[in-house]
Amino acid sequence: MLENLLLRTVIGLLIFTHVNAQNQLVEVATSPEYQWNGVALTKNGRMFAGFPRSVSDATISVAEILPTNVMKALPGGDWNTFNPINSTENVENRFVNVNAILTDVNDNLWVVDAGMIGNRTIRNSAKLIKINLQNNMVERNYSVSSLNPPEGFALNDVRIASQYAFLTESGIGSIVIINLQSGRVRRVLDKHPSTKFDAPTVVRVEGRKVLDEKGEPKNMPNNNLELTPDEKTLLYKPSFSYNWWRISVADLTNENLTETQLGDRVIKGSKTMPTGGTTMDNEGNIYLMDLERRAVWRQKPDGSLSLIVHDERIIWGDASD
């Protein structure tokens, strides 16, 4: 439902904003000390945030946002204690650089640890964590170390199906599939153009071109993804892409298909826009965080777009719920 849509945005301090029934932004929570880039809600209203390690070495990684705007680190133990300067051991069981969080239909909290800080891949740290919110404890740790991730590999976002987790990998560009029962991990479409940078796209945020250190259009491979409510189709796109790509879940999970055969089954989807984050509702509508126009759009399953809200305070709207 639109009334439940939350997005992470920037208004001086970093805040959560809520799109109400009148399509207005309403402040929900602020984070003056740490940068966050994702929000997740449970059915009973608990609210969580994910904190990337992109501004400071010292940060919590996952926290529950309490009604008093107090941030309570979650879970307990050492999970939120990693520091790349003075506390770097046991990366398998600590959050190194959280890039996404998500709640599922059973109110579990899923946490994506990108496994990369800056441009440096941290060996054995990329993982997907399942937290049982009944006891606030880690229930499953899905490491992707079996992939022997190459330098530059970075997990980004996740969607959860009944039997699989699907993750975008945005450092090089690919899709990662995890069998939730066995823990088996696969990486696919890593050479397919759909997961790569859509050159020569030039994106403007706050009126300025987004460029890399060489002055070239910034390369941002596969990032956003959505799973249709019937769990039959995965949609994905690089952030700066102007269209979705689609592939059936049956094909993605068919290990008998070669990479070439799998790539041949990728379909170019609906036109869209450069997006910081996306969310799909139970009816298959996608809410798009428009990077260039400081807006949120609704895209129906037929591809049609309608403006939900435009607000000058929205700067790089990211992972929403």
Side-chain angles (χ1 to χ4, degrees):
M1 294 293 292
L2 176 61
E3 291 78 7
N4 293 328
L5 181 67
L6 283 174
L7 63 139
R8 190 283 303 166
T9 185
V10 180
I11 306 176
L13 302 178
L14 293 156
I15 75 168
F16 287 138
T17 50
H18 164 79
V19 182
N20 65 15
Q22 290 73 44
N23 294 349
Q24 299 170 324
L25 293 185
V26 179
E27 182 177 317
V28 175
T30 62
S31 178
E33 185 174 0
Y34 304 113
Q35 181 187 18
W36 51 35
N37 74 335
V39 55
L41 291 174
T42 62
K43 292 190 290 264
N44 64 359
R46 293 177 71 184
M47 183 165 57
F48 302 88
F51 301 79
R53 203 176 302 276
S54 55
V55 175
S56 172
D57 292 327
T59 182
I60 55 175
S61 293
V62 180
E64 181 172 4
I65 310 301
L66 301 179
T68 55
N69 200 49
V70 171
M71 288 173 285
K72 181 181 178 181
L74 187 90
D78 293 333
W79 282 98
N80 281 274
T81 62
F82 178 87
N83 186 300
I85 302 300
N86 55 33
S87 184
T88 60
E89 67 278 0
N90 194 23
V91 295
E92 298 87 349
N93 296 294
R94 294 202 288 176
F95 295 130
V96 171
N97 189 11
V98 167
N99 196 69
I101 60 173
L102 178 76
T103 50
D104 63 21
V105 294
N106 297 312
D107 274 352
N108 297 298
L109 182 68
W110 298 82
V111 181
V112 178
D113 193 332
M116 171 184 275
I117 299 177
N119 294 318
R120 182 167 58 100
T121 298
I122 310 299
R123 186 173 177 81
N124 295 326
S125 66
K127 52 191 174 287
L128 175 67
I129 300 299
K130 178 184 180 182
I131 299 175
N132 184 332
L133 293 179
Q134 297 298 314
N135 56 22
N136 295 338
M137 296 181 66
V138 171
E139 184 172 294
R140 193 78 185 264
N141 182 340
Y142 295 95
S143 171
V144 301
S145 296
S146 62
L147 296 175
N148 192 23
E151 189 65 28
F153 177 97
L155 294 179
N156 189 291
D157 208 346
V158 65
R159 294 298 179 264
I160 303 296
S162 301
Q163 297 178 320
Y164 295 93
F166 301 98
L167 299 96
T168 47
E169 184 275 304
S170 61
I172 300 169
S174 61
I175 292 174
V176 173
I177 305 167
I178 302 176
N179 184 310
L180 296 177
Q181 181 174 358
S182 69
R184 174 168 164 73
V185 184
R186 299 168 56 227
R187 182 171 175 244
V188 299
L189 299 174
D190 58 304
K191 295 179 175 61
H192 195 270
S194 66
T195 63
K196 307 305 177 186
F197 179 48
D198 275 7
T201 302
V202 178
V203 173
R204 290 172 171 82
V205 177
E206 298 183 82
R208 298 190 295 271
K209 294 180 180 179
V210 181
L211 305 174
D212 62 19
E213 62 276 3
K214 297 179 181 178
E216 299 295 326
K218 186 171 177 61
N219 186 339
M220 294 190 70
N222 204 19
N223 188 318
N224 308 137
L225 80 165
E226 295 299 340
L227 181 67
T228 55
D230 60 9
E231 297 188 5
K232 291 183 178 180
T233 304
L234 189 76
L235 296 86
Y236 62 93
K237 65 185 289 289
S239 275
F240 293 173
S241 174
Y242 282 85
N243 66 270
W244 286 103
W245 297 93
R246 303 168 58 93
I247 189 166
S248 77
V249 168
D251 288 336
L252 271 178
T253 56
N254 183 353
E255 298 190 30
N256 293 319
L257 293 178
T258 66
E259 273 292 293
T260 299
Q261 291 171 330
L262 189 62
D264 287 343
R265 301 187 185 200
V266 173
I267 301 171
K268 195 169 187 176
S270 300
K271 291 289 186 181
T272 178
M273 64 204 63
T275 49
T278 63
T279 299
M280 179 178 279
D281 66 22
N282 292 333
E283 297 170 352
N285 300 303
I286 302 175
Y287 299 89
L288 306 162
M289 310 300 133
D290 187 336
L291 286 177
E292 295 188 301
R293 289 169 286 189
R294 303 191 181 194
V296 180
W297 299 78
R298 179 198 288 118
Q299 186 167 43
K300 293 183 178 180
D302 65 6
S304 61
L305 291 163
S306 58
L307 181 66
I308 297 300
V309 62
H310 173 271
D311 194 300
E312 289 300 312
R313 297 173 297 172
I314 300 175
I315 303 173
W316 204 295
D318 208 326
S320 53
D321 198 4

